[in-house]
Amino acid sequence: MLIRRFDTEEIERHLRRNVDEWRAEQGLRPFGHPDGSVVGKLDRMATSHSVDMADLGETIHRIDNRSSAQRYRDAELFETCKFKKDGAQYIVTPTRNRLEVLGKTYAGQAYETSNGTRYNGDEAAVADAIFESWTDARPFRERLSYANASRIGIGVETTEDNEVYVTGTLCGVYGND
């Protein structure tokens, strides 16, 4: 049986569009342009984590005893990406996975969900499934709703069996990056 390979860049583009449209509906600014240097670092960090999750076959924040915060430190983004939480008196940092969202779905094959059988036949459907999982999960929805978050990095990895692992990494840099 020949399995169609799905374009990870196309999945990423659809997912960015979904997230930005959703943020606009929430009265929030869309995330910054994906071509900036900070977003480039966020994308590389997210992609590396998605590859690691795919290698393990698990959707988890901590891999090889490296936390989300450690990945931000290694990418020299820990201090850059922290920001004041809108309407609160504290700073949001990458600690306790506060700037990371994770997801897993399948491409080109039927799979079971709590709402029945689902099939993601193209890149847009894969992105929709990840986006729905992010906005359905309270912690991830809250992270995507940070008013002072201005950038998102997205990393997508597909396995030979068309399992799709996705990491989103947030940052609070406004203006030039």
Side-chain angles (χ1 to χ4, degrees):
M1 176 171 96
L2 182 63
I3 297 178
R4 171 180 157 338
R5 301 307 308 161
F6 282 68
D7 183 341
T8 58
E9 290 178 10
E10 186 69 17
I11 294 167
E12 177 192 331
R13 278 191 294 277
H14 283 286
L15 188 52
R16 282 184 191 281
R17 186 170 40 251
N18 286 350
V19 170
D20 280 345
E21 288 172 359
W22 178 81
R23 281 181 59 91
E25 290 169 6
Q26 308 301 311
L28 301 167
R29 286 193 264 190
F31 287 120
H33 196 274
D35 294 330
S37 62
V38 170
V39 175
K41 285 183 178 183
L42 291 166
D43 282 344
R44 286 187 294 279
M45 181 173 56
T47 299
S48 177
H49 188 67
S50 293
V51 168
D52 289 346
M53 289 191 305
D55 288 347
L56 282 177
E58 293 184 65
T59 309
I60 56 176
H61 291 283
R62 181 178 288 274
I63 297 177
D64 291 335
N65 211 25
R66 289 184 64 233
S67 66
S68 175
Q70 188 60 51
R71 286 189 289 280
Y72 275 83
R73 282 186 189 95
D74 291 348
E76 299 179 355
L77 290 172
F78 189 91
E79 293 298 321
T80 301
C81 288
K82 64 184 183 180
F83 54 90
K84 184 179 183 296
K85 185 167 188 323
D86 191 47
Q89 294 300 315
Y90 65 90
I91 303 296
V92 178
T93 71
T95 57
R96 298 201 318 250
N97 312 314
R98 286 190 189 113
L99 299 181
E100 191 172 72
V101 293
L102 307 176
K104 176 187 177 187
T105 191
Y106 297 87
Q109 62 183 336
Y111 63 100
E112 293 301 317
T113 72
S114 59
N115 296 326
T117 303
R118 182 164 183 161
Y119 179 83
N120 300 321
D122 61 19
E123 286 79 0
V126 170
D128 290 348
I130 293 294
F131 172 73
E132 289 168 19
S133 74
W134 285 356
T135 55
D136 286 348
R138 183 176 177 211
F140 293 166
R141 183 177 59 250
E142 288 176 356
R143 292 170 192 168
L144 293 172
S145 297
Y146 289 140
N148 290 336
S150 61
R151 302 283 190 269
I152 188 169
I154 296 176
V156 180
E157 177 68 3
T158 59
T159 68
E160 289 182 9
D161 296 329
N162 277 359
E163 296 172 311
V164 182
Y165 291 85
V166 182
T167 304
T169 52
L170 303 172
C171 192
V173 178
Y174 276 108
N176 295 330
D177 60 314

